[in-house]
Amino acid sequence: MLAATALGAALAGCGTGSTDGGTGSDGAASRRSPSAPAPSTPAAPPAAPAPAPTIAAGPGGLTPVFERARTKGGDKVVALTFDADMTADQGPRAALGEHFDNPRLIASLRKWKVPSTVFMTGRWAEEYPDQARSIGTDPLFEIANHSYSHHAFSSPCYGLPTVGPKAMKADVDRAFAAFRAAGAVNVVPYFRFPGGCYDDRALRSLAPAKVTAVQWDVVSGDAFATDADAVAEQVLAGVRPGSLVVMHCTRSAAPTTEKALRRVVPELRKRGYRFVKVSDLIARG
């Protein structure tokens, strides 16, 4: 997402759950007679989460922009956010084996119990629908909108193609539709501009989408990084109470993110920080 954004796999899917062979803890399946039909109780669909907090529109009805929470009393909370980038024209690269996902990262966040917000492009959700559904039905995570195409909403923006003002809302709506089609339910009305690039025209064009634009105050530097320690140091040096950190969930373009977090997560907890989702930060104001 930053600069030219794009981001191993311990699991086959981004955050697949535990596998116990379908027996359950009581071994009921192993005791069932081979001739007896399996119970036919249908699985209940995941319950929709409560509406996420948003920010009132800015002057002239412009889309509001959130960068960091102003915590009271120095409350040590921090939100880690991960951009799941894939542009509309990268399908052929994925078909040739390039990985725009990062299953190990999601698995580690689960293991460490770190609530997180994933800013996902609609194209990413279409390429990895099982992973999008897995992330978007896990209460540890929430999915926010990072556009459908990962084209820029203002120019210049790191060489990204540009979405015209009249197409901006449609691009965002298309991403939300891709999340729903994948089966994600923990979807919040937040939007991150590709490349972080925006201007008043973009904020005005996006106003009908009724989203809160979410930026950041800590740049991890993980995009195209090869030194995990340098990424970790940059995050640790920048975090303050209420900070919002931008990282990536795309191993092809950010291969060191999970390794960097092996230092970041325990160190921030040692300093007294609690990890929260963006919705929790916005609720704090």
Side-chain angles (χ1 to χ4, degrees):
M1 208 259 16
L2 268 196
T5 98
L7 251 195
L11 302 173
C14 192
T16 50
S18 62
T19 56
D20 59 6
T23 61
S25 59
D26 62 357
S30 63
R31 295 196 301 269
R32 189 181 301 126
S33 168
S35 61
S40 59
T41 303
T54 55
I55 299 176
L62 296 182
T63 297
V65 181
F66 179 79
E67 294 181 354
R68 179 187 170 206
R70 308 302 173 189
T71 60
K72 298 178 181 179
D75 189 11
K76 288 189 170 183
V77 292
V78 58
L80 299 183
T81 69
F82 301 90
D83 291 352
D85 295 336
M86 188 172 181
T87 63
D89 59 353
Q90 288 177 331
R93 288 166 56 180
L96 290 174
E98 184 169 348
H99 295 284
F100 296 92
D101 60 345
N102 195 334
R104 179 177 292 170
L105 169 62
I106 297 299
S108 292
L109 292 171
R110 281 188 167 122
K111 180 176 67 175
W112 302 328
K113 295 179 172 59
V114 175
S116 308
T117 303
V118 179
F119 284 84
M120 188 180 292
T121 68
R123 184 65 187 85
W124 194 101
E126 289 179 348
E127 186 70 27
Y128 306 107
D130 291 345
Q131 298 185 41
R133 180 171 58 254
S134 177
I135 295 169
T137 54
D138 186 335
L140 190 67
F141 303 114
E142 61 189 10
I143 292 177
N145 196 311
H146 194 32
S147 80
Y148 174 82
S149 59
H150 202 263
H151 290 176
F153 280 56
S154 67
S155 184
C157 185
Y158 307 107
L160 292 174
T162 305
V163 178
K166 293 182 180 179
M168 290 179 182
K169 180 180 181 296
D171 187 88
V172 172
D173 289 344
R174 187 178 180 186
F176 279 129
F179 306 155
R180 291 194 298 270
V185 293
N186 301 329
V187 179
V188 289
Y190 307 147
F191 175 75
R192 174 165 287 163
F193 288 100
C197 305
Y198 69 94
D199 53 21
D200 280 356
R201 184 179 67 170
L203 295 178
R204 189 174 299 109
S205 298
L206 210 55
K210 300 187 183 304
V211 293
T212 294
V214 175
Q215 296 290 91
W216 55 84
D217 68 305
V218 179
V219 177
S220 69
D222 67 338
F224 305 105
T226 57
D227 186 341
D229 286 332
V231 173
E233 290 294 343
Q234 187 157 317
V235 173
L236 293 172
V239 167
R240 301 289 182 272
S243 278
L244 204 157
V245 183
V246 58
M247 306 187 86
H248 294 83
C249 184
T250 312
R251 57 184 144 150
S252 66
T256 65
T257 304
E258 192 271 347
K259 185 176 180 180
L261 285 173
R262 296 178 209 170
R263 282 191 57 198
V264 169
V265 170
E267 177 59 28
L268 286 179
R269 281 177 167 157
K270 181 180 178 181
R271 296 179 186 181
Y273 280 91
R274 291 186 299 107
F275 296 101
V276 299
K277 292 177 274 192
V278 170
S279 56
D280 297 313
L281 277 192
I282 289 180
R284 294 168 180 269

